[in-house]
Amino acid sequence: MYRFFIEDRNINRENGICRITGSDVNHIANALRMKKGEQLLLSSGAMDDPVEYLCEIDEIRSDEVLCRILDLQKNARELPSRLFLFQALPKGDRFETVIEKGVELGVHEIIPVLSARTIVKLDEKRAAKKTVRWNALALAAAKQSKRAFVPKVSGPVCWADALDLARGLDRILVPYENAEGIGHTRKVLSSLKPGESVGIFIGPEGGFEENEISRLAECGADVITLGHRILRTDTAGIAVLSVLMLQLETDP
């Protein structure tokens, strides 16, 4: 079943009618060739309104698609914890893969970080252009994975700002090659509770510097290992999110 995000003002909860406008109208009518009576899923895409509406197409017009609400569910697709991925910005298009897979795995927000060993350098204009593209990728991934809202991808932040953001979270996890054994990692992960906000810090291609790990530890971070193999920066975050998804997922 196809998923679309619409503006909250186009959801008339009192009358049970939703309006789809914009480019999705052409996609529904001409690309998908959907007809009256077919069902689809709609959400406002807002983080504070993770409601999924099961709707039936009532009428397809040239500029809008009118749908009737059949049922709704709140938080049906979302994890019970908010996961924030602080990803040191990798080279090339690897960050785009992190965004796509992170959204599929249930991430709440992705924050690209400029750490000491980050190779990528973006001026303000390029960063703004990249951020627009990153959020478009997040939207596409949210549609594909039937998320109830669209996770945000922020603009790149400096190390100090990343630490300030992380201090407001319940837990912070930092995979690091010099961390304690895997038993410690299992203990930390098993201690996470539904409802907690969790920050995950992933280093760049050259890894975190020791003073960065120290700063994170001062913020209360749990420094963990992901095993004996060295994972690429674009793999490490996906690995942690996969484990947390299975750890925190609950039955509807």
Side-chain angles (χ1 to χ4, degrees), residues 2-252:
Y2 295 104
R3 146 88 69 205
F4 295 94
F5 292 98
I6 61 177
E7 295 182 33
D8 185 70
R9 61 187 178 89
N10 286 339
I11 303 174
N12 190 323
R13 297 168 180 83
E14 184 176 342
N15 294 331
I17 298 296
C18 293
R19 295 173 59 247
I20 302 173
T21 59
S23 59
D24 284 336
V25 174
N26 179 67
H27 186 59
I28 289 170
N30 299 316
L32 300 178
R33 298 185 180 277
M34 298 187 74
K35 305 294 183 184
K36 178 179 178 178
E38 292 192 65
Q39 296 181 2
L40 40 72
L41 298 172
L42 299 177
S43 294
S44 70
M47 291 185 179
D48 57 353
D49 183 36
V51 178
E52 175 181 272
Y53 298 90
L54 172 64
C55 297
E56 182 178 278
I57 295 176
D58 198 48
E59 185 178 356
I60 299 178
R61 301 174 179 174
S62 61
D63 60 344
E64 65 179 1
V65 177
L66 299 180
C67 301
R68 182 164 45 88
I69 298 174
L70 302 178
D71 193 14
L72 62 86
Q73 284 187 305
K74 189 170 185 177
N75 287 320
R77 310 277 181 178
E78 299 305 319
L79 293 173
S81 295
R82 293 177 299 142
L83 307 181
F84 296 80
L85 179 61
F86 293 82
Q87 171 72 56
L89 202 55
K91 296 183 296 183
D93 59 0
R94 293 178 183 176
F95 188 56
E96 297 189 357
T97 301
V98 171
I99 292 170
E100 180 182 85
K101 303 308 176 187
V103 170
E104 290 179 23
L105 291 169
V107 76
H108 190 81
E109 183 174 347
I110 300 175
I111 303 98
V113 179
L114 303 175
S115 62
R117 294 175 180 167
T118 299
I119 298 172
V120 178
K121 306 297 180 185
L122 297 175
D123 58 32
E124 188 174 337
K125 184 176 180 180
R126 285 188 64 209
K129 187 176 181 180
K130 287 278 190 181
T131 303
V132 171
R133 173 167 172 75
W134 293 336
N135 279 281
L137 291 170
L139 172 60
K143 287 181 178 180
Q144 182 275 322
S145 57
K146 293 183 171 59
R147 294 288 300 272
F149 73 88
V150 184
K152 174 187 175 183
V153 184
S154 76
V157 302
C158 67
W159 182 250
D161 288 344
L163 290 180
D164 286 342
L165 291 169
R167 286 189 182 95
L169 303 177
D170 297 317
R171 303 289 296 273
I172 305 172
L173 305 178
V174 189
Y176 184 51
E177 60 266 26
N178 296 327
E180 293 183 41
I182 197 68
H184 172 71
T185 297
R186 291 194 179 102
K187 182 178 179 180
V188 169
L189 294 178
S190 64
S191 71
L192 298 176
K193 298 178 178 60
E196 290 182 318
S197 55
V198 184
I200 304 142
F201 274 77
I202 303 297
E205 284 84 354
F208 284 126
E209 292 188 345
E210 288 188 15
N211 70 307
E212 291 175 324
I213 295 296
S214 298
R215 291 286 303 280
L216 284 164
E218 290 171 2
C219 294
D222 289 299
V223 182
I224 61 175
T225 178
L226 297 180
H228 302 299
R229 294 150 301 284
I230 302 299
L231 304 183
R232 283 172 35 160
T233 180
D234 49 315
T235 304
I238 294 170
V240 176
L241 288 172
S242 298
V243 172
L244 292 182
M245 180 188 68
L246 293 176
Q247 173 80 13
L248 298 168
E249 192 78 83
T250 57
D251 291 325

